[in-house]
Amino acid sequence: MALIVQKYGGTSVGDLDRIANVARKVAATKDKGNDVVVVVSAMSGETDRLLGLAKKISPLPNEREVDVLISTGEQVTIALLAITLESMGYKARSYCGWQIPLVTDAAYGSARVTDIKKEALLKDLQAGHIIVVAGFQGVDDAGNVTTLGRGGSDTSAVAVAAALNADLCEIFTDVDGVYTTDPNITAKARKIPKIAYEEMLEMASLGAKVLYIRAVEFAMRYKVPVVVRSSFTDNEGTLVTEENSDMEKESVRSVTCNTKEAKITISGVEDKPGIASTIFSLLADSNVVVDMIIQNSSEAGKTDISFTLPEADLKKGLEICQRLKQDLHAEEISGSSDIAKVSIIGLGMRSHSGVAAKMFTALAKEGINIEMISTSEIKISCVISQKYAELAVRTLHDVFELDKASA
Amino acid sequence: MALIVQKYGGTSVGDLDRIANVARKVAATKDKGNDVVVVVSAMSGETDRLLGLAKKISPLPNEREVDVLISTGEQVTIALLAITLESMGYKARSYCGWQIPLVTDAAYGSARVTDIKKEALLKDLQAGHIIVVAGFQGVDDAGNVTTLGRGGSDTSAVAVAAALNADLCEIFTDVDGVYTTDPNITAKARKIPKIAYEEMLEMASLGAKVLYIRAVEFAMRYKVPVVVRSSFTDNEGTLVTEENSDMEKESVRSVTCNTKEAKITISGVEDKPGIASTIFSLLADSNVVVDMIIQNSSEAGKTDISFTLPEADLKKGLEICQRLKQDLHAEEISGSSDIAKVSIIGLGMRSHSGVAAKMFTALAKEGINIEMISTSEIKISCVISQKYAELAVRTLHDVFELDKASA
């Protein structure tokens, strides 16, 4: 007998039939003698419908009230799922964020979980109840409703699993696991049976949407074993867990690709202290999140600065740089959204040398020019021309033999 | 400067345009220098839509979870209204039942208000906020969401007004006040400018839908002045308040008519102690709410018992009586939903004699037979054949000159 937390996303609870399907999966888990906590999202489309109403009233609706509004989406789902489970003869009990309470800071729309009281949940579990928790929502210290932002229900599930010291947190979604790369780009993409938290974290930061960063951070911090699997099949999913000897000994675990970024280059800037600080402080003040930054000193005391930023912020970023042009004595400012960031990720890079060289060589062989490079201990990212994105992914997937499972 | 509580029902907040209309009315009240608390219902149709989902899952959905489900309706409205007020430049703050908290007992679906904490509301009012409260919902001592049943938002409004010691509680609805009788029955029906709590209470119990019983009870107990008025016009409404010398000195204030009841007669029952107890205990156990009861002792130790009950419970009531027939040695059991209960109500009855006689004479003159009579200090009800309902109402309205305002 184990304590299992299961999370079902919006598509999985999109209508009453799908909610009944979820109820059957939950009941089957309970029938095996497990304690079960289910975390659910709003029915697909509901959050957007509610946000749409708010946006019709005001382009910038009051943030506190938006959270009050959209948190009703999950509340409807927990009630419907609990009613379904009760009608099947199971004891079920729904919990809104404030009822647990799942305490967060006061950052409406993107609140961070600070504390989860487990007493009420444990008491209900002991009484044999299936617990149905509204994902995505919490309550701050002052009693205001908050929401956790994108992927918030994943975070809720992992956080609740951590608080209850659950044996497993299963994230049911519309894909059946974490793949070596996007199966839409190459049919050779392979489902990864086990992946380390650190690798999953890099993948999430690099744009893999299967699990959100905060959820992975939480899982890593509290060592919650997480399984990502499909709510529509019984296929085994991917286990996200601590690095261990049982894991495939690959130098590279996966290839990711992000085409939603843009690049700005400021050429011929005076090469003196404080220049980078000026530029990036101003961008930060305007809430432009900069990713990669490259600065090349060149001859004659001049330098070029390039950085990447979300495609959606390109215009804003260019405007800010243009305003600075005179002050910086810059020669030229250019921007392009015609780029792709291709990355390879793997814990094995720590011990395998030559991985970077192998990557650069493979891309060069295909005639793909590398515009920017950024590395961490367990990943290497290259910015390339967007037209080569798929080719680069397929090439790297082949070169690192990601289609083959190691022994 | 006053503290005013306003309540707007589902029709008044049925879409974003109507919510904007409510926001303007609220803002105008605030602009006059008042502190304002607004209580709102779910957008019209929303509660039924949500209940429909629950009923699709199960004919008897879990009651705790139904309250979790339907309470989202009001939560959506408070958020949308607060967003609208904020977008107009007003400071607004929404409150769910649990955030106040508005504490109730644990009777899901028809909970009673037991306590309202006013500290948070007062603090926000002092800070200049317009407070937007979700009607119809509360929280029990154990932290479960509850709802207050039919007319619950009226009750919320009056209860909040009582807790805050408000100067006035305005109930905005789709009629523009309390009338001497249903204007659909006679065009002579006249809006009553002022009415006493006791009279309003009788009217609510007798089927007038303009204000619900519990709301009137609350208002009476805490002496909250309540105005019933239209949310679509600026007409003055009806003030429900304590009996005072300022009020019209009418013996009869209004005529009501309820055609949604039925009558059961058990004839030829042995006239011995315990018979009535047997019958009505069994009916109560089956949740059949009996209204009027008449027992006529006749010759030879036999008696007839008649009682009225909701039309919807007639079949159930007859079944229960049939089961008892043998035990009671009853001769015959008959039932009919073809009845109407016509009532006259007025504080003045206390001091005016002859009101009952005047009523019976007027009905007799029109050839209307009275099947049952029940009286209280301030009302007289007669059960008659349903086909005479409108005639009876018009006759009584004329006889007591309700179309004429007294000096």
Side-chain angles (χ1 to χ4, degrees), chain A residues 65 68 75 93-94 99 143, chain B residues 65 68 75 94 99 143-144:
Chain A
E65 303 301 336
V68 172
Q75 190 170 334
R93 229 175 145 74
S94 72
Q99 287 178 305
Chain B
E65 303 301 336
V68 171
Q75 189 171 333
S94 72
Q99 287 178 306
N144 299 301

Side-chain angles (χ1 to χ4, degrees), chain A residues 16 50 53-54 56-58 61-62 64-66 68-69 71-72 75-76 78-80 82-84 86-87 92-94 98-99 139 143-145, chain B residues 16 50 53-54 56-58 61-62 64-66 68-69 71-72 75-76 78-80 82-84 86-87 92-94 98-99 139 143-145:
Chain A
L16 292 184
L50 293 166
L53 288 175
K56 260 195 197 167
I57 298 173
S58 164
N62 181 279
R64 176 187 186 274
E65 303 301 336
V66 167
V68 172
L69 180 68
S71 64
T72 61
Q75 190 170 334
V76 167
I78 57 173
L80 294 176
I83 288 170
T84 308
E86 285 273 342
S87 78
R93 229 175 145 74
S94 72
W98 60 269
Q99 287 178 305
V139 63
N144 299 301
V145 174
Chain B
L16 292 184
L50 292 167
L53 288 175
K56 260 195 197 166
I57 298 172
S58 164
N62 181 279
R64 176 187 187 274
E65 303 301 336
V66 166
V68 171
L69 179 68
S71 65
T72 61
Q75 189 171 333
V76 166
I78 56 172
L80 294 176
I83 288 169
T84 308
E86 285 272 344
S87 77
R93 229 174 145 74
S94 72
W98 61 269
Q99 287 178 306
V139 63
N144 299 301
V145 174

Side-chain angles (χ1 to χ4, degrees), chain B residues 156-178:
Chain B
S156 302
V158 177
V160 166
L164 297 176
N165 200 15
D167 298 286
L168 189 61
C169 178
E170 295 183 293
I171 306 285
F172 287 88
T173 176
D174 43 10
V175 297
D176 68 350
V178 181

Side-chain angles (χ1 to χ4, degrees), chain B residues 162-209:
Chain B
L164 297 176
N165 200 15
D167 298 286
L168 189 61
C169 178
E170 295 183 293
I171 306 285
F172 287 88
T173 176
D174 43 10
V175 297
D176 68 350
V178 181
Y179 277 73
T180 49
T181 196
D182 183 348
N184 294 317
I185 296 183
T186 168
K188 291 185 190 167
R190 185 174 56 85
K191 190 165 67 189
I192 304 170
K194 268 192 199 175
I195 188 168
Y197 295 126
E198 292 84 351
E199 293 170 320
M200 195 65 234
L201 198 59
E202 286 286 1
M203 287 181 69
S205 338
L206 292 168
K209 289 199 190 63

Side-chain angles (χ1 to χ4, degrees), chain A residues 87-120:
Chain A
S87 78
M88 290 162 64
Y90 292 83
K91 289 195 285 183
R93 229 175 145 74
S94 72
Y95 277 83
C96 294
W98 60 269
Q99 287 178 305
I100 298 177
L102 186 154
V103 185
T104 71
D105 60 22
Y108 299 119
S110 60
R112 280 177 184 274
V113 181
T114 56
D115 191 21
I116 295 182
K117 307 285 181 211
K118 60 185 179 184
E119 290 70 24

